[in-house]
Every structure is written in structure tokens, then in C-alpha cells.
Amino acid sequence: MLIKNIQSPKFVECKVAQVIDLYDRPNSPTPVTIAPGDGIGPEIMEAAIRCLSASGARLAIQTVDIGKKMYEAGFRNGIHPDSWKTLRDTGVLLRAPVIYPEGGSFQTPNVSLRRYLDMFATVTWAKSRSPFVATNQPNMDLIIIQDSIEDLYTSIEHHQSGEVYQSLKLVSQPAMENIIRFAFKFAQANCRKKVTAFSKDTILPITDGLFHEIFDSVAKEYPDIESDHWDVSAGTAKVALAPVQFDVVVTTSMYGNIVSELATAMGTTRAHAASASYGEHFSMFSASHGAAPDIAGKGIANPSGLILAGINMLWHLNLNAAAENLHNAWLKTIEDGIHTADVYRPGISNEQVTTIEFADAVIERLGLTPEHLKPACHCGSKLTVSSAVFKSSPRAEKKLVGIDLFVEETHRDPVALANRILDLTVGFPLQLTAITNRGVLVWPCWCNESLKTDHWCCRFEFADQDKDTVFKTACTLMQILALDGLDIIKSENLYTFDGIPGYSQMDDKWYDDDFCKKPVKLQVVT
């Protein structure tokens, strides 16, 4: 492991976000920002605002334009620069879906908003409303919490050689502390009994291993909440087959995106899926479905996802009476069989309604509670969102012990590449110890079956070197190889931290000479 003996006291909570409370200031409407979006967005936003206004919550609404028009105006993230001030002034956004441009030269508003306003935690609710809404898992009641700003969601990519592309998975200890601690706090605030971590330590022992280690450390601070860890592959399968095994799942960005999509698909209709992103200074609430331009303007879109997102916003703003009232009215509407076309089922549903008719049906049921579905009620304590920062503490001893040089060579011959480098570095303090091709060892031993591309990682390690000259030696090595015409496309320094390697180990002990000299023949067992 890269980091060992993690102690949570290294972190401190700071700058707890202050949330405006309507009931503390009854004469002051709560300021919020809305973004009507594209496609069906304006229709479902109108329905959601009608419901929110009727719930008893007094909101001072400001509107920003996010999405298609802003992309067409040349703003790469779909957000006009003037909108940022409005967003910061209110600290809360209710967002409808948007239409993204074709091609990959843009950034989604979600990514930009989460990243620049540091909304580090995204929460997705996956809950069935059986038997009134079709579901594959009638008992699904799961919350998925994922990191929003690190992991592969940094979107740092490179085209490195003619054949090979790279996407960096970047994680940090403070950000992992943030998301894991948030998950336990969220569980407490919502009367949840268990938090489960998903990661892939077996494949990624440094990055995912760190996530697992921090999770175990933080879990000790919450003895009233059960905790466990699952391999993300097995855990995802279990979410699909037996979701009652879990209560709250916390994981990193890419895993969380996949698990949340699966859970909502298994537990409910896509139109009922809602998510929220939380940060210390800003929060965003949105429907999890797309803009559905094919049905825009027809008045048939299901506004439930955005209504539920609005309810989550009310809970967050501590407008608990309004949130509870509106949520129960929505549940009663579903229970009474008042459904839009996407949910309507003969024999279960009683009336098929339009977007606005559905909103009006919810409003008519304000003050009522469902008879079969579990009523909504305020439970637990108010959620405070805070960030963790490092205190000053002794740092691990960091030592440079080698360097990985990535080179582009099209000849596909690792022996020729190794011999060329060895000839150039005779007697040099940094010695070539291994060559890999996309992580597969190809020198000093290789399998004939291995696919080889034009992308080679050459590992050099110091035999014995004065720590004051290691950086100069590494730079000299690159200069020697570059002057001979080797195309160096990337370098990674190899460090140990308190003697523990902070880099992936080579598979250099698994082979024997006979295995590597010829292809392996399959033996048929009779």
C-alpha cells in the first residue's frame, strides 16, 4: 500500500455550510436557482415549480439558461459566465436535463458545476414503488453515494502513440476522506443502518486500496452504523440480484455512475430517478434522465424525477414540513394510479394524465398520506456538508528509486529495444530491469501470445545512488536515450514512501524459461 496507518485525526472538518432555513426566517423566501434545460426540461420544470409552490415552501426563484443555447453560443460547458454569480448567490440549483452537442469537444454542465463548485458527493436514490410502478426488484431501497470530482471523472486523457490512448485515474487522500465521511453522515441523517464500500483492490491496490483503507478507518468513528466492503464486481451483481443486502453504498466516480444507473433501472422507472450533488458551499438537485427531445412539446413527459429532486432540495434546505407534505402527496398520487403514459399499466393504473395534469393531481393530494406505500417523514438529524483538510503532520519519507520511461517504437521487438537501451546505458547508475507493453511483461521474458503495440514502458531502477543526484541522473538518462532517437512520450518517477513502493510492481517472478520460449499449448483433459 502507498499509505499506511491512516489516522482520521489527520483531518479536521471546517467551514460548515450555512443553509437558509425558511422556518427560522419566516418572512424571507428561500433563494434558489433553477435551470429549465432543453427538450422536455421546461415542461417538467413548470410542473415541478407548481408543486413546490403549492407545498407551502416560499422560494425566491432565479433562472439561469444552461444547455443547448449556451453550447451554440460557444460556451464549452453549456454555462454562460454570468450565471456563475447567480449560482453562488443562492447556493442551490434545481436543474432539468439538457441536450449535449455531438462530438467530444465539450464538457457537461454537471461535470463543470461539480468540479468548480466542489460538489464532491453525488447521491442517487433507487427505490421501488411496487406494485404501482413496474420493477425488477420490489424491495429496492438503496442509496448510492459517489465521489463527483476525482477518479476518471477528472477527464484527463492523452493520445500517447499511434496506437495507444490514456485516461488518468487520479485520487487524493483528502477527497476520499470527504466522500466516505459524507456517506456515514448521510446515513445518520437519514436513519440508515449500514454503509458499504465498493472498490477493486485486487486490480488497483494503490488507488482503490487507499479507498478501502480510509473507509475502514472512518467507519470506526461511527460504531452505531454497520459497515462492510465488497469487490465492486461482486457488489454490482448483488445490487441487481439481491439489493436488500445493502442500505447505503459509497464508491468512487466511475463505479458509482455504473452502480447507480443499474440500481435505478432495476428498482424503478427511469423517469422517477433523482440525484443530488452536495458540496460545502453549493448543492444541485436534478432528474437523472435525459432531455427526451423526441417527446418535447407533447405534454406527455413524466415530471416525477424533477419533482422528487425538488423534494430533496426542500429537505436539504431544512424545509421539512413542505418536503414531507409534497412527498406524501406524490406517493399518494402514484398509489391512486394517476400515471403518465410511460408508467401507465392497465389493471394497475386508473388514469393516464399529461405532464401538468400529473402535477395538478399531486397538488390535489397535499395533506394526504399514502395507505400502502411507506409515508415520507423527517428522520434523523440535519445534514451538514463539510470538507476535510490535512493538519500538519509528519510526512512519509519519500525516496526516488527509479523511473518508468514510456517510448513509442513500431518494430514490435522487445529484445531489440532492450539491447539498444542496454548498449546506450552500459555502466550507468540507472539500470533497465523490465519492459512492459500496456502492463504486460515483455522483457526479460515474454509470451508469444501477448499482443504488442507501439507503446513500451521501460523500467529503470537505481543500483545504488546518492539521493542528492538522483534527479540529475534520471534527466541525464532521458537525454542519452533521446539523443539516440528514442521517442520518449512520458516519464513517471518511482518513489517509495517509508520504504513502501508507491508504484505498480512488475510480474517478474511468475515465469520459467520453458514457458516463455514457446506458445502454451492447451491440454485437453479426458
Side-chain angles (χ1 to χ4, degrees), residues 314-344:
L314 296 182
W315 289 118
H316 173 68
L317 294 172
N318 211 29
L319 308 182
N320 299 326
E324 183 176 317
N325 190 16
L326 182 54
H327 200 168
N328 282 323
W330 180 85
L331 290 168
K332 180 63 173 170
T333 305
I334 295 298
E335 191 177 84
D336 287 348
I338 312 300
H339 298 157
T340 50
D342 58 309
V343 176
Y344 185 88

Side-chain angles (χ1 to χ4, degrees), residues 9 85 111 133 143 147 167 175 259 326 425 444 509:
K85 183 180 185 304
V111 170
V133 179
I143 292 174
D147 167 70
S167 180
V259 173
L326 182 54
T425 57
K509 303 298 182 185

Side-chain angles (χ1 to χ4, degrees), residues 403-423:
I403 187 170
D404 280 346
L405 294 182
F406 295 79
V407 301
E408 180 175 1
E409 279 287 349
T410 59
H411 52 57
R412 307 293 200 276
D413 186 349
V415 176
L417 176 60
N419 288 337
R420 179 181 176 184
I421 292 173
L422 291 172
D423 288 342

Side-chain angles (χ1 to χ4, degrees), residues 231-244:
D231 175 274
V232 66
S233 301
T236 303
K238 186 64 73 171
V239 166
L241 298 175
V244 292

Side-chain angles (χ1 to χ4, degrees), residues 1-226:
M1 279 298 302
L2 175 61
I3 305 295
K4 63 178 182 179
N5 298 325
I6 295 172
Q7 300 295 325
S8 291
K10 288 183 179 179
F11 300 92
V12 293
E13 295 178 9
C14 62
K15 302 178 182 177
V16 175
Q18 299 298 312
V19 178
I20 298 174
D21 184 349
L22 171 64
Y23 300 105
D24 290 341
R25 303 176 61 186
N27 296 321
S28 300
T30 302
V32 300
T33 302
I34 66 169
D38 305 313
I40 62 172
E43 301 166 59
I44 62 174
M45 182 62 78
E46 179 186 355
I49 295 301
R50 285 168 75 118
C51 292
L52 290 169
S53 299
S55 71
R58 296 180 61 230
L59 303 175
I61 296 174
Q62 300 187 54
T63 303
V64 295
D65 198 348
I66 293 176
K68 184 178 180 181
K69 290 181 181 178
M70 295 299 100
Y71 283 123
E72 292 174 345
F75 300 106
R76 183 173 173 268
N77 58 12
I79 305 172
H80 193 283
D82 292 345
S83 297
W84 291 95
K85 183 180 185 304
T86 301
L87 293 167
R88 287 191 173 97
D89 286 345
T90 64
V92 179
L93 172 65
L94 180 64
R95 189 188 67 79
V98 302
I99 295 175
Y100 304 120
E102 295 182 0
S105 60
F106 68 93
Q107 191 174 75
T108 69
N110 271 355
V111 170
S112 291
L113 290 165
R114 290 167 181 161
R115 183 175 298 170
Y116 295 115
L117 296 175
D118 198 34
M119 290 182 281
F120 58 85
T122 293
V123 180
T124 302
W125 289 261
K127 183 174 177 60
S128 67
R129 275 88 186 188
S130 178
F132 306 102
V133 179
T135 178
N136 293 302
Q137 289 292 349
N139 297 317
M140 174 80 78
D141 185 8
L142 178 61
I143 292 174
I144 300 97
I145 299 176
Q146 68 189 77
D147 167 70
S148 304
I149 56 177
E150 289 196 335
D151 188 38
L152 294 174
Y153 271 42
T154 58
S155 302
I156 301 174
E157 297 184 303
H158 304 95
H159 184 178
Q160 291 191 318
S161 69
E163 299 171 348
V164 174
Y165 302 73
Q166 169 185 272
S167 180
L168 290 180
K169 178 185 174 81
L170 292 179
V171 298
S172 69
Q173 195 167 341
M176 287 185 176
E177 163 85 4
N178 279 344
I179 189 64
I180 292 168
R181 189 175 300 283
F182 175 90
F184 280 94
K185 286 184 175 182
F186 196 91
Q188 282 185 328
N190 290 274
C191 298
R192 297 285 178 148
K193 304 299 183 183
K194 180 180 177 182
V195 177
T196 301
F198 281 6
S199 66
K200 196 71 175 178
D201 304 19
T202 52
I203 304 300
L204 301 169
I206 294 179
T207 52
D208 282 25
L210 177 63
F211 185 87
H212 188 176
E213 191 170 350
I214 294 177
F215 177 82
D216 287 345
S217 178
V218 172
K220 295 175 183 177
E221 301 174 21
Y222 297 86
D224 57 321
I225 298 178
E226 184 183 352

